[in-house]
Amino acid sequence: MKRDMATPSSLDDITESEETDLCDWQLPLAFMKKRHLERIEGSKTVTQTWRMKERMKTVSVALVLCLNVGVDPPDVVKTSPCARLECWIDPLAMSPQKALEAIGGNLQKQYERWQPRARYKQSLDPTVEEVKKLCTSLRRNAKEERVLFHYNGHGVPKPTVNGEIWVFNKSYTQYIPLSIYDLQTWMGSPSIFVYDCSNAGIILESFKQFSQQREQEYELAQINRNHPSLHNNMPLPPPLKNCIQLAACSTTQLLPMNPELPADLFTSCLTTPIKIALRWFCCQRSAKLVPDITLELIDKIPGRLNDRRTPLGELNWIFTAITDTIAWNVLPRELFQKLFRQDLLVASLFRNFLLAERIMRSYNCTPVSSPRLPPTYHHPMWQAWDLAVDHCLSQISTVLQGSEYKHSPFFAEQLTAFQVWVISGSEMRSPPEQLPIVLQVLLSQVHRLRALDLLGRFLDLGPWAVSLALSVGIFPYVLKLLQSSARELRPLLVFIWAKILAVDSSCQADLVKDNGHKYFLSVLADPYMPAEHRTMAAFVLAMIVHNYPNGQEACLQGNMIAICLDQLSDPHHLLRQWLAVCLARIWTNFDAARWCGVRDSAHEKLYVLLNDPLPEVRAGAVLALGTFIGNCTERTDHANNIDHNVGLTLLNISQDGSPIVRRELSVALNEFVCQFESHFVMISMQLMEEEQKRQNELHSPDNLLPDDTGAFGGGSRKASTASLRRVNSTLPVSHSSSNLLNGPLSPLGSGSSAGSHSSSSLGSGDLLVPPSGGLFSPDKMRRIPSGASLSSLWAPSYGSVYAQVWKVILQLSNDPHPDVRDLCAKIIGAINLKASITAKPQRVKESRKTYSAPNSPTNRQLGNTYLDDSPPNDKLAIPHEIARPVALKPGEQPPPARPQNPAPIGAQFAHSHQFPRSRKLFDKGPSVSRTSITNTYEEAEEVMSHRKIEIQTEFASWSCKYFAQSVMKMPEEVDPESTLHHEREWRFVRDTKVRREAREQQKKAQFSRLDDQIFINKNQNVPLGICFHPYESHVVVADRDGISTWNWEQGAKLNHFYNGNVKPTRITSIDLLNAHDIPLLLTGSDDGAVRVWRNYSGENGKPHELVTAWQALTDMLPSTRGSGMVVDWEQESGMLLASGDVRIIRVWDTQREVRLQDIPTGADSCVTSLACDSVGRSLLIAGCGDGSVRLYDRRLAPQECRVMTLREHNSWVVKVHLQKGGDGNIISGSVAGDVRFWDPRFTESVNTINTVQSLTALEVHEQAEVFACGSANQLISVYNLAGDNLSTIKYHDGFMGQRIGPLSCMAFHQHKVLLAAGSSDSFLSIYAVDKKR
C-alpha cells in the first residue's frame, strides 16, 4: 500500500516529501472510534416472527377406507391390467374382509411412522352414522388440537359437484352421499383432510364454498337475533385457514391406473415416500444407467429409516433435507412456518406432498392442497435427490455381497455450496437455498463442526441473517446442542448464541428453562478458552440476566458473580467490559445478588476498572457500581457504609475525558440520590434558604448594584439551568429553587489540579477531599461581586458524603457535553422540586401523633452537624404540638403511613418544617383557605411519594450492537477494496499534491513580499482564533462563542454555528485534528472546556455534530487579563496539552480519553503559549505571562520535570514555537516586540530580532523560514529568520488602501505561504506572496 503511494520505481529514490506521504497512512486518528461516530443508543427493536404463535399437535387420526374390495364403482372404468396395491397389499390376494382389515392396519402403521403418539381410529367401509360418530368422538377428545381425516374413496363413486363424498349403507347395497358440510361440522377446527380419490379437487372447492356459506350464515344470525338458526345453537363455523386439505388430483382428473404403481399412489407418497420414490426412480429411463437394479432389489436396501448411518436412513435424511429446502425457498415465510414448523405430522405430510406432486405429475395427475402451494416439481434440488438415489442404488448389489457402503457426498457438497454463498453473501442477494440443509447437517457428528462454523459465519453477516436462520428453524437445533460436552463445539456454539441473543433477547427464557446458562458459565470459567469466546459467553449471560428474575436467580446459583470477579483483570478489554455489564445486570433489582457481591468485595474489585485505559470498560464499571448502589431495599448501617464508599469512589472520575463514562456516572449518582433522597432534599432546602437570604441582601438599599453587574455576573447562568427554571417556575417559591444554580452555585468548575494554588476543601478528614476550588472557582467568582455566601458548601454542615455527591452533581449539570448536563439537570430539578414543596407553609392536619427522625448513616465524626442524627434546633423549628406525642381524639384519622425508607422530619412533615420562617419568607400563613390547604397537602404528598428519579442511558444496549454486527468481516477502514479506503487514498494523494505545490512557495518565501490581499470579509464577531485547513481552501475562524468557516478561494462563508460555551466565557483556542484525513475541529474556551466538532464546514449538507466534550482544565484562576485556555495538539501521539489561567500543564491522552499527567508550571502567572517536540515527545515549552519561557521534560516526575527557565523577555510572551528539523530552535516573542531564538541546550538566546511594538500576535510558518508579527497599532510585519523585514501591511485610509484594524489573532497556512489575520473590527484578511514578483 505504501509502495503504491510512492511514484519512483525504487525506494532509493524516495524523497523526504514522499516519506511524509507514506506517514499519512501511519498517523493515528483521534476520536474516530465507534463511540465517537454513532449515537450511544441501542438497536431499534424488531419484532421477531420466527416463533410460532401456537404450536399444534395432531392428536387424533380418523382412517376412513371405502374400498368395497372386489366391487368396482359404477362411474370408473378401470384398465386391464390395473393398479391394485392398497397400502402395498394386493386386496385380491385374500378374502375381501381380511384384505380390508390388513389394508387398514397397514395404513395405520404407515401413519404411525410419522406420528406414533396419536390416537388412531379406523372406519372400514363405513356408513354415514359411523363416520359421524367417529368424527365427533375424535373432535371431543382432541379439544383444541388438530384432527386428521384420511379418506380413501377407491371403492365408491367420485365426489359430486354438490359437495358430497360417498360411503355405504349398512347392508352394502347402496352408496350413500355424505355432505362435506356435515363433515365440516363434525370435524371442527383445526383439522387436516386427506382425500385419495378421483376428482378430489371437487371436495376442496365444495369445502371452501361451505365454509364461506357458514360464515355468512353466522354473520347474518349475529345481525338478526330472531334468525331461526340462532335458536338452533348454530356452532361457530370452523375458520378455513385452520383447516388443511390435501387432495390426490384436481377436479377433472382420474387417479393413475398404471399397474407398475400402487392404486393409492397419493397415500403411498404421503406415508411411504422413500419406498415409492425409489420404485418410481426405477421406472424412469434414467434408471437404466444403473445396471442390475430391479424392484425386488430395492426392497432389499439395508438399514432403517430412522438410522442415518444406514443406506436407507441416509436416503430418508437426504429426502427430508431436500424437501425442507424446496419448501423454504419457494413458500412465503409465514406459510412455511405454518405448514413445516407448527405440527410434526403436518410438516411430514407436506414434505411428502412435494414428492407426490413430482411423481403424480409425471402421470398427468396434479395433487392440490389448501392452502395452495406454488409448483415445486421442477425445482433444481430434485436433481440433487436423483443424484443421491443414483449414488445409493449403484452400490446396493455390492453392499448386499458384503462390501462397505460409501456414504453420499450430498451434505458435504451442499455445505461447500453454502460456504461459497457465505463468502460473498449480503442482504441484497437472495437467501442461500442450502440453509435448511445446514440445519439437517447439525444432526450429524461427521459434519457438525463444519456446519456450525459455516452457520456462525452466516449469522455474522448481520441481524437479517440471524432472522433468516431463526425462521428456518435453527433454534431447537442449537438449543439441543448445548447439552453436548464436546469442547471443540464450545467456541462455535458460544458465537452462534451471542449472535442470536444480540438480535432476539427473548431467547433468555428458553435457555434458563433448558439449563443452557450452565453451558455459558462453564465456558466463561474455563481459563483455557480464548478471551474472545469468554467475552461472548459473558455477553450471553448478560442477556440471560437482563430484566429476567429467573435468569438472575439461575446465574446467581451458578456462581456467576465469583466467575466474573476473578477475570476483571483480564488483558482483553471487551471481556472486561462485558464482565462489568454482566455484574451490573445480575444485581439490578436483585438484593440477593448484591449481598453476594458484597461478600466477594465486588465493589472494591470493580474500582480497579475505573482507571481502565478504555472508556467503554470504565463506563461498564460505573454502570455496575451504579446498579450496585441502586437496588438495596433494606437500609442498614452496613449497607449505608458500602454505598457511601462506592459513592465517594465514583466521585473520583467526575472529570473523566469520555462523555459515555460521565453519563453513566450521572445515572449512578442518581441511584445514590434516590437511596438517600431525604438528605439531598435537606441540602437543597438549606441552599435555597441561603440563596434567598443572599438575594434579599443584594436587593436591600445598601447593596443595590447596576443591572449589568448583578449577582449573576452579566448572565453567567449555565445553559442547563434553563430546564430547572422551567421546573421551578410553577412553584410558589419565587427565587429559592431556581436561584440554586443561578447564584453562587452557577459557575461550577471541577476536579483538582496538581500545583493549584486555590485552597478550599470540604471539611471531612477521612472522606474524599473534593477538587479544590471546583465548586466556586475564583475565575467565576470575579463575575459575582457578592461573595458573602460562597462558603455555603464549605460549612461543616455540608462536610459529608451527601454534600460531596451533590457538589459533583452540580458540577456535572454544567458539563460541556449536553447529554451529561441534561441528565444531572433532571436530578437537580427533581430534588429542588421536592425541597421547594417540603419548604412550603402548609397547615398541620389535626394529627396528634408523630414519628422520630431516622438515624442518619453519615459518619459520626462530623459531630452535631446539619446532616447528622438530628438537625439542629435552630435549623428545624418543629412546632410543640408535633414534637410531643398526644393520643388521638375519638374518630380522628391517623397520619399517613410511614414510608419504608423514612425521610427526616422536615421531609415527612412537609407542612411543619420551618413554619414560622417560611411565613416570613413567602408570606403565606393561616389566612390561606382550608380548601387550598388540603390541595397543597395532597400535591405535596403526591410529589414526595414519587421517590425514583428515572434517568437512564443506553450504553449497555449500544454495546450489544457489537455482537449484532459482523465481527469476522474485515473493518471497512482497513479493507483495501472498500469505498472508505479509496476515499482515504484519494485524500492522501491530494495531500501529497498540496505539499508538493507548496514547496516552491516555501523556498521563495524568505525573499518575497507577503502583502497581496487575496481575501477580506467581515466575520460575525471579532476573530479570536484562526486555523487553516492544510489541504482544503477552508479557514476556520472562532469568535467568543461561534465558529465560522470560509472558503478563501471563493470568498464565501460555508457555515456558522455556536460552540455552546455559555456567556461570558469565550473561545480562546482552536485546532484541527486529523487534518490529513477527515478533519475534526477542536475548540477550547476559557472555562476549561474542550469541544470537538464533526462536519464543521457544513459541506455536503451535513449538519455539524458534537463528537465529544470534556473539562480539560479546572480551577481556572482569576486575572484581569487572562490567556483563557491554550492548547497544543500532537497528531502523532494523540496527545493534547492544555494550560492557560492555571498553574499546571495538563496532558490528555485522546485515544484513551484520560488525563495522563499534570505538570506544575512553577510560575505565578498564566501560560500564554505551548509547544512540544512531536519527534522525541519529551520536550515541552511554555510561554508565560511573566515573560519567562519554561522547558519541561515529560519523562521526569511532575515536581522535577521543569528543566530550564528562559527569562530574557520582560513582558507577556505572545507565542513560543519549536522549529522542526535538525536545529530545533525555540522561537519566542513578547508584547514588547522582541523575538528571541533559543538553543534548547542553553539558557541564553542565540539571536534577538526587535519587531513591532505592542505585539498582539506572533506566528511562525511551519515549513517556510518566515514569521509574522501583528500589532495593536494596526500593522503586520513579516520577517525572515535572519531578521530581514520582508513586508509591512499597514492601515491606509482611502479607496485603494488596505483595511486592517488592531490585530487580534493570526495564523499561517501549514504548507502554503498564506497568512490569515483577524482584527478587532471583525474583519478577516488573508495575504499571499504577490505572484507578479
Side-chain angles (χ1 to χ4, degrees):
M1 180 166 57
K2 297 176 186 175
R3 194 176 292 251
D4 291 342
M5 291 296 298
T7 51
S9 58
S10 68
L11 289 176
D12 296 335
D13 296 328
I14 292 183
T15 64
E16 182 182 347
S17 67
E18 283 152 354
E19 287 178 0
T20 307
D21 302 339
L22 298 179
C23 290
D24 282 348
W25 290 97
Q26 300 168 352
L27 277 177
L29 296 174
F31 302 113
M32 292 294 285
K33 302 288 192 298
K34 276 189 181 294
R35 63 180 180 271
H36 305 122
L37 298 175
E38 60 189 33
R39 287 193 59 80
I40 307 300
E41 57 188 15
S43 302
K44 293 181 180 177
T45 305
V46 179
T47 305
Q48 295 296 325
T49 57
W50 63 273
R51 282 186 187 272
M52 294 304 303
K53 294 186 179 72
E54 50 178 349
R55 287 242 174 228
M56 282 196 180
K57 191 161 50 175
T58 303
V59 295
S60 301
V61 179
L63 303 177
V64 179
L65 303 182
C66 298
L67 295 178
N68 199 11
V69 177
V71 180
D72 291 335
D75 59 346
V76 176
V77 179
K78 293 187 177 181
T79 60
S80 183
C82 181
R84 292 193 311 196
L85 297 181
E86 300 278 357
C87 296
W88 304 104
I89 292 175
D90 185 352
L92 302 181
M94 57 187 80
S95 65
Q97 187 58 33
K98 282 188 177 182
L100 185 61
E101 292 172 359
I103 292 169
N106 249 20
L107 181 59
Q108 180 172 330
K109 288 177 183 176
Q110 290 172 192
Y111 267 110
E112 285 174 344
R113 157 83 179 83
W114 307 106
Q115 178 58 292
R117 295 183 181 177
R119 181 183 184 186
Y120 290 89
K121 290 289 184 179
Q122 300 177 25
S123 187
L124 309 178
D125 289 351
T127 62
V128 172
E129 284 302 317
E130 289 172 347
V131 173
K132 178 180 180 180
K133 182 179 178 182
L134 171 66
C135 293
T136 52
S137 170
L138 292 181
R139 170 47 60 199
R140 186 168 55 250
N141 292 324
K143 298 180 180 176
E144 301 299 321
E145 296 289 358
R146 184 173 273 132
V147 178
L148 186 146
F149 180 84
H150 180 100
Y151 174 72
N152 182 325
H154 295 175
V156 292
K158 293 178 286 189
T160 67
V161 291
N162 295 327
E164 296 163 331
I165 56 175
W166 298 92
V167 289
F168 303 97
N169 61 0
K170 289 187 178 180
S171 57
Y172 298 100
T173 57
Q174 286 183 322
Y175 299 111
I176 305 297
L178 189 157
S179 172
I180 297 298
Y181 187 92
D182 293 336
L183 186 62
Q184 283 181 343
T185 305
W186 304 334
M187 284 292 293
S189 172
S191 300
I192 178 170
F193 300 86
V194 178
Y195 312 118
D196 190 350
C197 59
S198 295
N199 295 16
I202 293 177
I203 306 176
L204 265 65
E205 293 181 356
S206 301
F207 193 98
K208 182 177 181 180
Q209 292 172 4
F210 289 142
S211 290
Q212 293 173 347
Q213 179 185 334
R214 281 176 178 277
E215 290 173 3
Q216 291 169 359
E217 289 174 356
Y218 185 78
E219 290 172 3
L220 186 62
Q222 291 289 68
I223 295 171
N224 184 6
R225 291 291 179 178
N226 298 323
H227 197 277
S229 61
L230 194 66
H231 301 287
N232 296 334
N233 296 321
M234 186 185 75
L236 185 68
L240 182 63
K241 63 180 180 180
N242 285 336
C243 290
I244 298 170
Q245 301 173 84
L246 301 174
C249 55
S250 63
T251 53
T252 59
Q253 293 175 336
L254 298 177
L255 295 178
M257 300 182 189
N258 189 327
E260 295 178 348
L261 302 172
D264 60 348
L265 178 60
F266 186 61
T267 299
S268 299
C269 289
L270 294 183
T271 57
T272 56
I274 303 301
K275 187 171 185 176
I276 190 64
L278 292 174
R279 296 175 75 89
W280 180 76
F281 180 83
C282 291
C283 295
Q284 307 305 301
R285 282 180 290 179
S286 59
K288 296 178 181 178
L289 298 174
V290 184
D292 305 325
I293 291 297
T294 60
L295 294 177
E296 293 76 16
L297 195 63
I298 287 175
D299 293 332
K300 297 179 182 179
I301 295 177
R304 300 189 309 276
L305 287 171
N306 55 4
D307 185 355
R308 292 188 295 271
R309 293 168 298 181
T310 63
L312 198 59
E314 185 179 62
L315 277 177
N316 185 54
W317 185 26
I318 293 172
F319 175 79
T320 302
I322 285 176
T323 48
D324 237 22
T325 300
I326 293 173
W328 189 72
N329 282 285
V330 172
L331 268 59
R333 293 283 176 265
E334 188 177 351
L335 187 58
F336 175 81
Q337 290 285 334
K338 178 182 177 181
L339 300 182
F340 286 82
R341 293 294 180 262
Q342 192 181 51
D343 184 326
L344 288 176
L345 180 58
V346 171
S348 300
L349 290 177
F350 267 93
R351 274 196 293 266
N352 302 341
F353 179 80
L354 302 184
L355 175 71
E357 184 194 15
R358 186 187 190 209
I359 292 178
M360 297 185 75
R361 272 182 177 270
S362 65
Y363 298 104
N364 299 319
C365 189
T366 308
V368 290
S369 66
S370 174
R372 182 175 294 276
L373 304 186
T376 59
Y377 65 96
H378 56 274
H379 196 278
M381 285 301 293
W382 284 120
Q383 297 176 10
W385 166 247
D386 291 339
L387 182 61
V389 172
D390 189 291
H391 179 270
C392 176
L393 294 181
S394 63
Q395 301 181 64
I396 292 303
S397 57
T398 56
V399 168
L400 293 176
Q401 295 172 8
S403 299
E404 185 179 356
Y405 177 72
K406 295 178 182 178
H407 289 282
S408 172
F410 170 80
F411 288 107
E413 291 168 352
Q414 293 300 318
L415 285 179
T416 301
F418 183 64
Q419 182 177 359
V420 170
W421 192 98
V422 168
I423 289 172
S424 57
S426 72
E427 190 174 4
M428 309 308 295
R429 295 182 58 191
S430 300
E433 63 179 21
Q434 298 85 9
L435 193 55
I437 297 175
V438 176
L439 300 191
Q440 289 292 327
V441 175
L442 293 179
L443 301 172
S444 165
Q445 288 188 350
V446 177
H447 303 291
R448 183 175 295 158
L449 202 62
R450 185 186 178 198
L452 283 173
D453 178 56
L454 290 174
L455 181 60
R457 292 177 184 277
F458 175 70
L459 298 181
D460 191 55
L461 294 175
W464 60 271
V466 177
S467 298
L468 271 180
L470 289 172
S471 72
V472 82
I474 179 183
F475 189 77
Y477 290 79
V478 290
L479 186 62
K480 187 76 172 175
L481 284 174
L482 292 180
Q483 300 173 11
S484 170
S485 58
R487 284 186 61 85
E488 64 272 13
L489 298 184
R490 284 186 168 192
L492 300 170
L493 284 173
V494 168
F495 183 86
I496 287 169
W497 272 104
K499 288 294 176 183
I500 293 174
L501 283 167
V503 174
D504 188 357
S505 59
S506 68
C507 301
Q508 58 185 182
D510 304 89
L511 284 170
V512 174
K513 182 180 177 183
D514 285 24
N515 287 323
H517 64 284
K518 294 180 179 178
Y519 188 87
F520 301 101
L521 284 169
S522 66
V523 172
L524 183 59
D526 187 351
Y528 299 102
M529 192 64 65
E532 292 81 2
H533 301 134
R534 281 182 285 135
T535 301
M536 292 174 189
F539 166 71
V540 171
L541 291 167
M543 299 303 290
I544 289 175
V545 300
H546 183 45
N547 293 335
Y548 186 50
N550 292 347
Q552 290 176 307
E553 181 66 41
C555 289
L556 180 63
Q557 297 298 326
N559 208 25
M560 187 178 101
I561 291 179
I563 293 171
C564 289
L565 292 175
D566 287 345
Q567 302 183 57
L568 286 181
S569 58
D570 191 276
H572 193 262
H573 66 90
L574 204 57
L575 175 58
R576 297 195 303 272
Q577 176 185 341
W578 276 103
L579 290 173
V581 175
C582 243
L583 292 170
R585 285 182 166 180
I586 193 174
W587 57 47
T588 298
N589 301 323
F590 188 33
D591 222 26
R594 171 196 155 95
W595 286 110
C596 178
V598 170
R599 288 190 293 273
D600 286 346
S601 302
H603 53 296
E604 295 175 1
K605 293 175 181 176
L606 281 165
Y607 292 164
V608 180
L609 297 187
L610 295 179
N611 298 315
D612 196 90
L614 247 79
E616 289 89 346
V617 180
R618 300 199 297 274
V622 177
L623 173 66
L625 291 170
T627 55
F628 186 82
I629 295 174
N631 66 353
C632 187
T633 53
E634 295 185 17
R635 294 255 56 102
T636 62
D637 286 345
H638 184 41
N640 291 340
N641 288 336
I642 291 171
D643 286 351
H644 291 169
N645 185 281
V646 174
L648 286 171
T649 306
L650 285 173
L651 300 188
N652 290 320
I653 61 163
S654 61
Q655 293 304 318
D656 193 284
S658 175
I660 65 171
V661 179
R662 300 198 305 279
R663 274 196 291 263
E664 293 307 314
L665 176 63
S666 303
V667 176
L669 293 181
N670 175 58
E671 297 290 352
F672 189 88
V673 169
C674 290
Q675 289 294 332
F676 304 101
E677 185 179 89
S678 58
H679 297 279
F680 290 96
V681 171
M682 302 294 274
I683 290 176
S684 179
M685 285 168 57
Q686 185 163 341
L687 287 174
M688 289 157 62
E689 276 188 35
E690 293 175 356
E691 176 68 12
Q692 184 66 34
K693 285 181 184 177
R694 195 176 68 82
Q695 292 296 322
N696 291 340
E697 291 171 4
L698 288 174
H699 291 92
S700 66
D702 298 333
N703 291 318
L704 285 179
L705 295 172
D707 290 341
D708 58 343
T709 59
F712 307 129
S716 64
R717 294 181 177 95
K718 297 294 184 180
S720 63
T721 62
S723 60
L724 296 177
R725 203 173 300 115
R726 285 193 298 272
V727 170
N728 296 317
S729 63
T730 59
L731 299 177
V733 184
S734 59
H735 294 94
S736 61
S737 58
S738 62
N739 291 335
L740 177 60
L741 293 181
N742 292 345
L745 299 184
S746 175
L748 296 173
S750 48
S752 64
S753 313
S756 173
H757 286 211
S758 60
S759 59
S760 56
S761 63
L762 299 179
S764 177
D766 65 339
L767 297 177
L768 171 74
V769 177
S772 58
L775 186 58
F776 307 113
S777 66
D779 182 49
K780 304 303 185 296
M781 288 164 60
R782 63 182 170 176
R783 304 188 181 102
I784 305 172
S786 173
S789 64
L790 292 184
S791 59
S792 302
L793 282 183
W794 276 264
S797 62
Y798 287 93
S800 71
V801 177
Y802 312 113
Q804 295 186 56
V805 170
W806 191 243
K807 174 185 172 183
V808 169
I809 292 173
L810 289 170
Q811 291 171 354
L812 292 174
S813 70
N814 293 297
D815 194 273
H817 200 286
D819 291 351
V820 181
R821 190 167 64 235
D822 293 347
L823 288 173
C824 289
K826 288 180 182 178
I827 303 173
I828 294 170
I831 293 297
N832 285 353
L833 178 64
K834 293 188 178 184
S836 300
I837 291 177
T838 303
K840 274 188 194 176
Q842 294 166 349
R843 182 161 180 175
V844 183
K845 285 194 172 182
E846 293 181 352
S847 58
R848 300 292 180 179
K849 186 177 177 182
T850 187
Y851 305 99
S852 60
N855 288 332
S856 169
T858 56
N859 291 351
R860 294 294 183 270
Q861 69 173 23
L862 299 175
N864 188 22
T865 64
Y866 181 63
L867 293 178
D868 211 325
D869 285 353
S870 60
N873 289 333
D874 62 328
K875 294 292 182 185
L876 288 179
I878 304 174
H880 181 69
E881 68 270 18
I882 290 183
R884 184 178 61 216
V886 180
L888 292 173
K889 295 178 181 178
E892 185 175 358
Q893 293 296 322
R898 181 173 183 170
Q900 185 177 5
N901 185 12
I905 293 175
Q908 287 183 24
F909 300 97
H911 46 280
S912 68
H913 177 59
Q914 298 178 339
F915 185 79
R917 295 173 63 186
S918 296
R919 281 178 60 186
K920 294 174 186 176
L921 285 174
F922 306 118
D923 195 27
K924 286 188 180 180
S927 61
V928 181
S929 68
R930 181 168 297 274
T931 306
S932 63
I933 290 173
T934 307
N935 293 341
T936 307
Y937 183 85
E938 291 172 354
E939 174 193 340
E941 288 295 313
E942 180 183 358
V943 173
M944 298 305 290
S945 64
H946 293 304
R947 291 185 47 79
K948 189 74 172 175
I949 306 167
E950 292 292 345
I951 66 169
Q952 59 185 1
T953 69
E954 294 190 52
F955 167 72
S957 301
W958 171 77
S959 301
C960 293
K961 286 171 29 177
Y962 169 84
F963 295 97
Q965 297 159 357
S966 177
V967 299
M968 294 183 184
K969 186 180 177 183
M970 184 187 298
E972 195 177 8
E973 54 267 23
V974 297
D975 182 4
E977 301 301 323
S978 68
T979 304
L980 194 67
H981 184 88
H982 290 316
E983 289 174 353
R984 176 167 294 167
E985 192 171 29
W986 177 87
R987 285 192 291 271
F988 292 168
V989 171
R990 172 206 64 185
D991 298 351
T992 305
K993 182 181 178 183
V994 170
R995 286 192 291 261
R996 188 165 55 245
E997 291 175 352
R999 203 167 296 120
E1000 294 301 317
Q1001 292 183 22
Q1002 295 163 13
K1003 291 176 182 177
K1004 299 176 182 178
Q1006 55 186 319
F1007 311 111
S1008 305
R1009 293 179 61 84
L1010 182 63
D1011 57 4
D1012 183 15
Q1013 189 177 60
I1014 62 171
F1015 172 89
I1016 184 168
N1017 230 313
K1018 189 164 185 177
N1019 197 52
Q1020 199 135 333
N1021 287 300
V1022 178
L1024 298 179
I1026 303 175
C1027 185
F1028 276 103
H1029 189 298
Y1031 306 107
E1032 297 279 356
S1033 55
H1034 298 166
V1035 62
V1036 184
V1037 185
D1039 51 55
R1040 292 190 67 88
D1041 57 0
I1043 307 291
S1044 300
T1045 307
W1046 297 83
N1047 186 314
W1048 50 264
E1049 282 188 344
Q1050 299 175 359
K1053 181 187 282 190
L1054 299 178
N1055 196 22
H1056 177 83
F1057 64 92
Y1058 289 99
N1059 184 52
N1061 52 297
V1062 294
K1063 294 180 179 179
T1065 62
R1066 58 195 171 92
I1067 300 171
T1068 55
S1069 54
I1070 61 171
D1071 209 338
L1072 285 182
L1073 319 181
N1074 310 334
H1076 64 296
D1077 197 356
I1078 301 175
L1080 302 175
L1081 177 67
L1082 179 143
T1083 66
S1085 49
D1086 63 357
D1087 59 354
V1090 165
R1091 294 171 176 84
V1092 179
W1093 298 93
R1094 181 190 298 116
N1095 304 328
Y1096 63 88
S1097 65
E1099 286 188 303
N1100 304 321
K1102 294 180 181 178
H1104 63 278
E1105 298 175 32
L1106 183 66
V1107 178
T1108 187
W1110 78 97
Q1111 201 72 26
L1113 288 177
T1114 53
D1115 307 330
M1116 303 292 279
L1117 300 178
S1119 64
T1120 54
R1121 183 194 171 203
S1123 60
M1125 179 166 66
V1126 294
V1127 299
D1128 190 63
W1129 169 244
E1130 222 179 78
Q1131 186 73 47
E1132 292 81 4
S1133 63
M1135 302 293 181
L1136 179 71
L1137 311 178
S1139 190
D1141 292 332
V1142 288
R1143 300 296 179 260
I1144 57 162
I1145 300 169
R1146 184 162 289 171
V1147 183
W1148 287 91
D1149 182 346
T1150 60
Q1151 296 295 331
R1152 297 186 291 173
E1153 299 184 55
V1154 294
R1155 182 176 63 187
L1156 281 186
Q1157 62 184 138
D1158 284 351
I1159 300 173
T1161 61
D1164 290 330
S1165 61
C1166 61
V1167 174
T1168 60
S1169 179
L1170 288 172
C1172 64
D1173 177 14
S1174 60
V1175 180
R1177 297 179 186 171
S1178 58
L1179 180 61
L1180 194 157
I1181 305 149
C1184 299
D1186 60 1
S1188 62
V1189 176
R1190 297 167 184 255
L1191 278 63
Y1192 305 88
D1193 189 336
R1194 278 192 266 169
R1195 298 169 296 183
L1196 302 178
Q1199 300 303 328
E1200 302 171 359
C1201 61
R1202 181 158 56 94
V1203 293
M1204 194 178 297
T1205 303
L1206 312 176
R1207 299 186 181 274
E1208 294 187 11
H1209 292 294
N1210 296 319
S1211 56
W1212 182 288
V1213 175
V1214 176
K1215 174 81 171 181
V1216 291
H1217 174 81
L1218 179 63
Q1219 287 182 296
K1220 294 182 179 180
D1223 296 337
N1225 281 346
I1226 300 169
I1227 304 175
S1228 63
S1230 73
V1231 171
D1234 55 327
V1235 176
R1236 299 181 183 271
F1237 294 75
W1238 312 81
D1239 187 320
R1241 297 169 294 178
F1242 307 109
T1243 56
E1244 295 180 358
S1245 59
V1246 296
N1247 189 19
T1248 302
I1249 302 174
N1250 291 313
T1251 63
V1252 298
Q1253 292 295 316
S1254 301
L1255 188 72
T1256 56
L1258 169 67
E1259 286 298 324
V1260 184
H1261 199 285
E1262 292 280 348
Q1263 314 290 337
E1265 296 181 355
V1266 294
F1267 65 92
C1269 301
S1271 170
N1273 299 327
Q1274 296 176 274
L1275 64 86
I1276 301 171
S1277 290
V1278 181
Y1279 301 84
N1280 59 23
L1281 298 187
D1284 301 326
N1285 188 339
L1286 301 179
S1287 56
T1288 300
I1289 306 166
K1290 294 183 179 181
Y1291 179 86
H1292 295 287
D1293 289 324
F1295 177 71
M1296 298 297 292
Q1298 296 271 20
R1299 173 86 181 178
I1300 180 171
L1303 264 293
S1304 60
C1305 56
M1306 291 194 307
F1308 269 116
H1309 194 282
Q1310 189 173 343
H1311 302 292
K1312 298 179 180 180
V1313 185
L1314 296 174
L1315 176 64
S1319 54
S1320 57
D1321 57 3
S1322 301
F1323 273 90
L1324 171 69
S1325 305
I1326 297 179
Y1327 303 95
V1329 175
D1330 192 346
K1331 295 180 180 179
K1332 297 177 182 177
R1333 297 171 187 167

